[in-house]
Amino acid sequence: MTGAAGFIGSHTCVDLLTAGYRVIGVDDFSNSSPHAIERIREVVGPDVAGNLDFVELDVRDGAALGKLLGGGGRGGGPVYAVVHFAARKAVGESVRMPVEYYDTNVNATLRLIEAMREHGVRRLIFSSSCSVHGNADSLPIPEEAPARPTNPYARTKWICEQILSDLCVAEPDWRVIALRYFNPVGAHPSGLLGEDPRGIPNNVMPYLQQVAVGRLAELSVFGSDYPTPDGTGIRDYIHVVDLAEGHRAAMEHLDDQTGYRVYNLGTGTGTSVLQLVAAFSEAVGRPLPYRIVGRRPGDVAELVADPRRAAEELGWRTKRGLADMCRDAWEFQRRNPGGYDGVAG
Ligand code: UDP
């Protein structure tokens, strides 16, 4: 699992370990903390923690990847599958640093494919994003809606999807699932794992979490003149534990398919920024300060998943609602006000 110390990676690692998988986690900690690996071990408990190995490496380092995959899985057998989370993921940053985004997101995926091919590993679960759709013509968004990425980050994900799809045509023994995430939020209910971005958060939920613990003064709500009921942007927020379970469902489905398949992972329900602020304030027990400001360039009014394909083919559905997402996110932030590394407020 590349990107195992990240927000979605760490939760998926817990889910897979708990389900009995052995995991080799990989991360270079460029946007995550080594403490997340310790927390994964703490959450799963001592009996299961031994099924997690960890290797620090940069996924662009093809030689290191080859060495890792060539060394086989835990217990000496071959690696069964790769879950590839590691990537850069901030839209605004990608506009300023496109070369770094193409390098980390596209080149690393190519190096990974080469290393997998060299060592006979041909099952892959790839992290994609609903942002590949750009401005949707209609909602909710099914997988076959046209891809029209509007920024370098989304283009890197769309390019990787096309590479993987082409690969599966050329080499039919590959089994690849791309999962397009909508807006992952929340935290592990233990309060031990959660979202802990470095620097000032780009995304609305970690920003709100840091407002709630006083690290940030108030949320800027980007635009109240969208064609939505309250004028603020609507997104499909999905609990990160539901998302982790989606990866396990995909893993369990890999051998029932050949070639390439993409799934949208969302709830199918939209929530506006103001509804999110209200729900999070409810979880915290006091109103959180916010101010309406102008629109953020590149934002779209509304993104909501049509998750039916994942339900029908993977047997996966979300189980957790907005109140659960807010309660768990707050529990993590309350217990870790300075994040994993204890950054002062
Ligand atoms: N948003 C906001 N203030 C912030 C960050 C985000 O109002 O500080 C809004 C943003 O305009 C969008 C929604 O919250 O409508 C979700 O944005 P986020 O960056 O979390 O995810 P995105 O959907 O852009 O991937």
Side-chain angles (χ1 to χ4, degrees), residues 10-21 44 241 244-245 248:
S10 58
H11 288 81
T12 303
C13 201
V14 164
D15 184 82
L16 291 175
L17 286 167
T18 307
Y21 286 84
V44 299
V241 176
E245 291 174 0
R248 178 154 47 90

Side-chain angles (χ1 to χ4, degrees), residues 288-327:
L288 294 172
Y290 69 87
R291 182 198 306 265
I292 309 261
V293 300
R295 292 184 181 192
R296 179 170 67 176
D299 268 353
V300 298
E302 192 166 354
L303 283 174
V304 177
D306 179 344
R308 277 179 299 180
R309 181 188 286 182
E312 284 160 16
E313 297 181 14
L314 304 180
W316 169 89
R317 285 175 186 77
T318 58
K319 298 179 198 145
R320 297 157 182 91
L322 188 61
D324 304 308
M325 302 177 208
C326 293
R327 182 199 59 223

Side-chain angles (χ1 to χ4, degrees), residues 183 202-204 207 219-222 233 235 237 273 296 299:
N183 287 62
N202 291 293
N203 298 111
V204 63
Y207 202 105
L219 177 77
S220 297
V221 175
F222 297 143
R235 295 292 182 272
Y237 297 96
V273 179
R296 179 170 67 176
D299 268 353

Side-chain angles (χ1 to χ4, degrees), residues 264-285:
N264 283 346
L265 298 189
T267 65
T269 302
T271 301
S272 75
V273 179
L274 291 182
Q275 286 172 323
L276 185 70
V277 173
F280 198 69
S281 298
E282 175 82 25
V284 174

Side-chain angles (χ1 to χ4, degrees), residues 81-334:
V82 173
V83 190
H84 181 37
F85 290 107
R88 294 175 182 259
K89 60 163 190 172
V91 170
E93 187 182 65
S94 79
V95 176
R96 295 190 301 275
M97 306 166 51
V99 176
E100 286 79 0
Y101 269 69
Y102 285 104
D103 186 37
T104 304
N105 294 9
V106 181
N107 277 341
T109 301
L110 287 169
R111 297 294 86 78
L112 178 65
I113 293 168
E114 287 161 357
M116 289 174 67
R117 183 159 57 183
E118 191 185 333
H119 296 287
V121 183
R122 288 185 174 76
R123 295 183 192 85
L124 175 66
I125 298 182
F126 176 74
S127 301
S128 191
S129 164
C130 64
S131 65
V132 301
H133 291 295
N135 278 297
D137 297 324
S138 64
L139 296 160
I141 305 171
E143 289 79 358
E144 53 278 6
R148 282 192 300 247
T150 59
N151 58 69
Y153 162 71
R155 273 189 282 278
T156 66
K157 291 295 177 183
W158 176 231
I159 288 168
C160 287
E161 284 200 22
Q162 291 170 286
I163 290 171
L164 293 168
S165 165
D166 288 342
L167 169 71
C168 288
V169 172
E171 301 180 18
D173 52 343
W174 281 79
R175 303 165 190 271
V176 178
I177 291 181
L179 300 175
R180 290 185 186 145
Y181 311 146
F182 279 66
N183 287 62
V185 300
H188 192 268
S190 63
L192 289 170
L193 282 176
E195 185 166 17
D196 181 30
R198 303 219 153 168
I200 296 186
N202 291 293
N203 298 111
V204 63
M205 192 64 157
Y207 202 105
L208 264 179
Q209 291 169 217
Q210 295 194 14
V211 169
V213 290
R215 277 167 70 182
L216 296 166
E218 63 181 8
L219 177 77
S220 297
V221 175
F222 297 143
S224 61
D225 57 349
Y226 285 106
T228 61
D230 67 18
T232 65
I234 290 182
R235 295 292 182 272
D236 185 340
Y237 297 96
I238 170 171
H239 196 297
V240 66
V241 176
D242 277 324
L243 195 56
E245 291 174 0
H247 288 75
R248 178 154 47 90
M251 183 75 82
E252 284 163 3
H253 184 71
L254 273 177
D255 280 347
D256 298 333
Q257 74 166 45
T258 50
Y260 177 78
R261 193 80 171 142
V262 55
Y263 295 95
N264 283 346
L265 298 189
T267 65
T269 302
T271 301
S272 75
V273 179
L274 291 182
Q275 286 172 323
L276 185 70
V277 173
F280 198 69
S281 298
E282 175 82 25
V284 174
R286 64 192 145 83
L288 294 172
Y290 69 87
R291 182 198 306 265
I292 309 261
V293 300
R295 292 184 181 192
R296 179 170 67 176
D299 268 353
V300 298
E302 192 166 354
L303 283 174
V304 177
D306 179 344
R308 277 179 299 180
R309 181 188 286 182
E312 284 160 16
E313 297 181 14
L314 304 180
W316 169 89
R317 285 175 186 77
T318 58
K319 298 179 198 145
R320 297 157 182 91
L322 188 61
D324 304 308
M325 302 177 208
C326 293
R327 182 199 59 223
D328 294 338
W330 174 230
E331 182 63 13
F332 171 73
Q333 200 70 55
R334 191 180 66 74

Side-chain angles (χ1 to χ4, degrees), residues 42-58:
E42 198 178 334
V43 172
V44 299
D47 293 346
V48 174
N51 287 335
L52 172 64
D53 272 345
F54 183 78
V55 178
E56 184 172 345
L57 64 77
D58 181 329

